[in-house]
Amino acid sequence: MFLVFSWSSILMFDREFNFQEIPTSQNVADEAVAWLHKSLRTQHDDHWRFQLSVCLAEALNNIVEHSPTTPPCVQLGLQENEQFSMVHIRHAGHPIDHLHPAQLNELKNEGGRGLVILQQWVDHFDYHHHQGYNLFQLIKFSD
């Protein structure tokens, strides 16, 4: 089964999603994970929830650490059905140019390891910059 998601649907964020705005404080990842667990309506086991939570936290850490300027807040949206859950992260800012997972021979370096985990634990990860917004999409299929 193939699912196709277009950026045109994601760019319509405001009309399609009820976004939760979270300030980018030191505990932005904790607040986002709490939001995720509260917002998920479909049933998933603890392992599935743990993996998606870690991936959300990693995406947010990349926003805070790698954005040219830390945004004052991020906006989170969730779309789900019985087949998958899709988390959207949006924030205003300059493009993040260096979001590249570490290669196997670089894993002893500090950067890029979280993106490796992210790519292993979600079924689809995408980043796009459009009209002044950084847009992240995490999709995890249901078990």
Side-chain angles (χ1 to χ4, degrees), residues 17-122:
F17 298 103
N18 291 323
F19 271 89
Q20 175 69 38
E21 193 166 275
I22 298 177
T24 52
S25 62
Q26 286 185 326
N27 57 349
V28 63
D30 292 337
E31 291 181 33
V33 168
W35 164 84
L36 178 65
H37 287 267
K38 210 171 23 174
S39 300
L40 283 170
R41 293 183 313 264
T42 54
Q43 296 297 316
H44 303 286
D45 64 29
D46 290 342
H47 181 72
W48 189 98
R49 286 175 174 263
F50 173 76
Q51 287 184 334
L52 186 57
S53 298
V54 168
C55 292
L56 174 58
E58 179 56 35
L60 290 167
N61 286 336
N62 275 289
I63 290 169
V64 172
E65 291 178 21
H66 299 297
S67 292
T69 57
T70 301
C73 66
V74 294
Q75 296 173 321
L76 304 174
L78 177 67
Q79 181 180 15
E80 60 181 339
N81 61 31
E82 296 80 28
Q83 298 162 333
F84 66 91
S85 294
M86 184 183 331
V87 178
H88 300 281
I89 306 167
R90 176 175 79 170
H91 75 88
H94 297 287
I96 302 172
D97 294 327
H98 47 282
L99 283 181
H100 304 289
Q103 300 299 313
L104 191 56
N105 62 348
E106 301 171 334
L107 289 179
K108 59 186 167 203
N109 297 337
E110 180 67 25
R113 287 181 279 169
L115 288 174
V116 172
I117 293 169
L118 197 150
Q119 288 182 328
Q120 293 295 311
W121 283 359
V122 296

